[in-house]
Amino acid sequence: MEDTMRTERIKQLVEEKKERYIALSDAVWAVPELGLKEYESCKLLVRALKEEGFAVEENVDDIPTAFIATYGTGRPVIGLLAEFDALPGLSQEAALPEHRPLVEGGPGHGCGHNALGAGVVAAAVAVKDYLKEYPMAGTVKVFGCPGEEAGWSKMFLARDGFFSDVDACFTWHPGNCNSVQGYSSNANICVYFTFHGRSAHAAAAPHLGRSAVDACELMNVGVNYLREHVPTEVRMHYAYQNAGEKAPNVVHALACLKYYIRAPKMATAVEVLERVKDVARGAALMTGTTCDIDVTAGMSDFMANDTISKLFEEAFTLAGPPQFDEEDERLAKAFWDQLTPSERNAGMMRINLSYPDGGKYRDTVLVKDIGPYFRIDKYVPGSTDVGDVSYVTPTGQLWVTCYANGTPGHSWQVTAQCGSSITHKAVVCAAKAMALATVLSFERPEEVNAARRELAERTGGVYVCPVDPGKKPVIP
């Protein structure tokens, strides 16, 4: 089909149904659920796909809110990655530039995954509608991937072979700019250290006790001294999951720490993890306790695939940027005006990685330009389990402006704007870009094959998962 006609038809197909997918984004936004417990959100997305004739497999890999929806026949097989989990404590009224939680202390979509999932569904449906009008070989699969913030289902799906028949994947994420990601992210390993001691009366017979809390404290001290002797880029974070009983006159027999260990590459994170394990064992030895070490999840660094990302960039350029109006600009300005200079500076990190001349957007409230794709040997300090998919199949990730430049990530401000008209425009934009990229992949199987060769050359066919086979995600 002629390029212009194809592009316009796919864009039109998205436009024809855009209101139902804007409503889907808002519906998921209205029922924010934490990772691996997104039962209502999952139902909304699955229902939308079933109504459009997709064959849906639920409870994938024994993860209750994971699903795979399929339409089409033959190759290439293109995956679209949907997320839909929220974050704790970020409840907020939609489109309101002042902090007003809907539920005090409740969760909220402070990373915009409500829009992410809805945009993916809209793209898949547009591809389905296009295939009905213009039949061709090709299969689109929507992967419902719960727990991106905590739980990391994509790692389990990648480890267990659910992407083995997928030729390439596309996804998107709400952000403060418009670009196909050419930079990396930190690998991350989640590990629990549970110390077991012996309880005793802390005044009458302290010598009989063995304190698990003491072991945790000593472990944390040891890790803090370790920080000087690991690569500069490594990050180690911890939080108590169980800090013993409330009574101070008891030697506490049980305590647990949860650690995240991040590094630019998984191999480095694994090396540091072994040293952290030794610190934990030392703390147990010093306190006469024992320590159970449980690696429950991990996320690989994201590896941009040049071939598939350039195809994605082409599709994004054809689709065009979000079509913001004056009301969107006014709303974004209301959030922008509240930001501190430090917050605005922090917001430039992703922009500087996405545009060769990113500095010119320093005072742009709502970024509308589409940046060119270019691979850069830098990374963002955060992590995503999209990285695991990128190691097993060529993967392109798109960022689309959903909120005012400089808006802090994982904040009530993101929750507010991701329930607003600004993000509605981004959902439509992302859907068009992903639908176009999928159809281009169907039409150009040789480019998809080239992307797979690129992946094999860069990885040697090796994907390192830090979690043992058979281990399932921890559902809170």
Side-chain angles (χ1 to χ4, degrees):
M1 186 176 184
E2 186 178 320
D3 289 351
T4 301
M5 291 177 61
R6 180 227 303 115
T7 298
E8 291 308 311
R9 184 56 185 142
I10 292 173
K11 291 167 67 174
Q12 185 180 26
L13 288 169
V14 174
E15 287 286 335
E16 288 172 359
K17 296 181 177 180
K18 69 178 182 181
E19 294 303 328
R20 71 177 66 174
Y21 298 110
I22 288 171
L24 179 61
S25 175
D26 286 347
V28 176
W29 184 94
V31 289
E33 298 167 296
L34 301 182
L36 304 179
K37 299 172 73 174
E38 316 95 322
Y39 301 109
E40 293 303 316
S41 304
C42 178
K43 286 179 185 176
L44 288 166
L45 298 178
V46 166
R47 183 185 306 128
L49 288 160
K50 285 183 176 179
E51 288 173 352
E52 290 287 348
F54 282 75
V56 183
E57 178 187 358
E58 300 180 65
N59 196 37
V60 172
D61 210 12
D62 295 325
I63 303 172
T65 52
F67 64 86
I68 301 175
T70 305
Y71 188 90
T73 58
R75 307 194 86 93
V77 177
I78 302 300
L80 303 179
L81 309 177
E83 300 168 12
F84 36 92
D85 58 325
L87 286 157
L90 294 183
S91 175
Q92 167 64 24
E93 187 172 326
L96 183 70
E98 64 178 82
H99 191 201
R100 187 182 298 168
L102 291 171
V103 178
E104 195 67 43
H109 275 285
C111 206
H113 292 177
N114 60 300
L116 198 168
V120 164
V121 171
V125 170
V127 172
K128 182 267 298 183
D129 290 341
Y130 187 83
L131 288 176
K132 282 194 167 184
E133 293 183 9
Y134 305 98
M136 68 181 79
T139 302
V140 60
K141 286 191 170 189
V142 175
F143 287 85
C145 304
E148 192 275 339
E149 301 292 355
W152 311 342
S153 66
K154 296 186 199 69
M155 182 220 73
F156 291 96
L157 297 177
R159 183 200 64 184
D160 295 337
F162 285 91
F163 295 100
S164 60
D165 68 338
V166 177
D167 294 303
C169 278
F170 298 109
T171 190
W172 79 289
H173 202 287
N176 65 337
C177 61
N178 302 295
S179 67
V180 177
Q181 182 172 334
Y183 46 88
S184 186
S185 58
N186 264 328
N188 191 1
I189 301 174
C190 176
V191 55
Y192 289 80
F193 298 90
T194 303
F195 291 91
H196 302 272
R198 187 164 65 236
S199 62
H201 194 294
H207 58 288
L208 298 179
R210 301 292 182 267
S211 173
V213 173
D214 286 356
C216 287
E217 294 284 271
L218 286 169
M219 178 185 172
N220 292 336
V221 170
V223 170
N224 286 336
Y225 276 102
L226 178 63
R227 296 179 195 279
E228 184 182 356
H229 305 289
V230 296
T232 303
E233 300 84 2
V234 169
R235 297 289 183 269
M236 296 177 283
H237 327 289
Y238 62 84
Y240 277 91
Q241 305 302 292
N242 181 329
E245 303 299 332
K246 293 183 179 180
N249 61 338
V250 174
V251 177
H252 304 299
L254 180 67
C256 178
L257 293 165
K258 180 180 181 180
Y259 264 76
Y260 282 172
I261 298 171
R262 302 185 201 251
K265 293 293 180 184
M266 179 58 76
T268 304
V270 169
E271 289 176 3
V272 173
L273 172 59
E274 292 307 311
R275 299 183 69 185
V276 173
K277 287 180 179 179
D278 284 341
V279 172
R281 294 181 185 113
L285 183 63
M286 284 189 287
T287 54
T289 60
T290 60
C291 181
D292 294 335
I293 300 172
D294 188 14
V295 178
T296 60
M299 293 191 282
S300 295
D301 44 290
F302 176 74
M303 183 168 57
N305 182 284
D306 285 342
T307 307
I308 211 68
S309 294
K310 288 175 182 175
L311 185 150
F312 207 0
E313 176 198 30
E314 178 184 348
F316 194 16
T317 302
L318 291 169
Q323 299 301 300
F324 299 124
D325 57 27
E326 291 183 2
E327 181 56 36
D328 299 323
E329 294 278 0
R330 282 194 292 271
L331 180 60
K333 183 68 161 53
F335 285 93
W336 161 268
D337 286 342
Q338 299 178 10
L339 300 173
T340 68
S342 294
E343 287 171 331
R344 293 180 185 177
N345 285 333
M348 290 301 295
M349 176 185 63
R350 199 174 299 277
I351 285 179
N352 287 330
L353 293 173
S354 302
Y355 299 86
D357 52 353
K360 74 178 186 180
Y361 298 102
R362 173 66 178 76
D363 295 317
T364 301
V365 175
L366 207 53
V367 177
K368 295 177 280 293
D369 294 345
I370 295 176
Y373 171 76
F374 57 97
R375 183 148 56 92
I376 183 172
D377 188 22
K378 293 185 178 180
Y379 64 92
V380 291
S383 308
T384 173
D385 57 4
V386 176
D388 294 87
V389 182
S390 76
Y391 268 83
V392 297
T393 194
T395 302
Q397 177 156 253
L398 182 71
W399 290 81
V400 181
T401 298
C402 285
Y403 43 77
N405 190 12
T407 301
H410 290 194
S411 66
W412 65 264
Q413 292 97 326
V414 173
T415 304
Q417 291 173 84
C418 283
S420 77
S421 62
I422 300 173
T423 291
H424 295 164
K425 310 293 196 308
V427 168
V428 175
C429 168
K432 292 176 180 178
M434 286 184 291
L436 276 165
T438 302
V439 172
L440 287 175
S441 299
F442 293 165
E443 294 178 347
R444 304 175 190 171
E446 71 284 354
E447 290 188 33
V448 177
N449 290 334
R452 294 188 66 80
R453 289 194 297 272
E454 177 188 335
L455 176 66
E457 289 169 2
R458 291 177 61 190
T459 65
V462 175
Y463 163 59
V464 177
C465 179
V467 178
D468 293 337
K471 184 179 286 292
K472 298 298 182 182
V474 176
I475 299 176

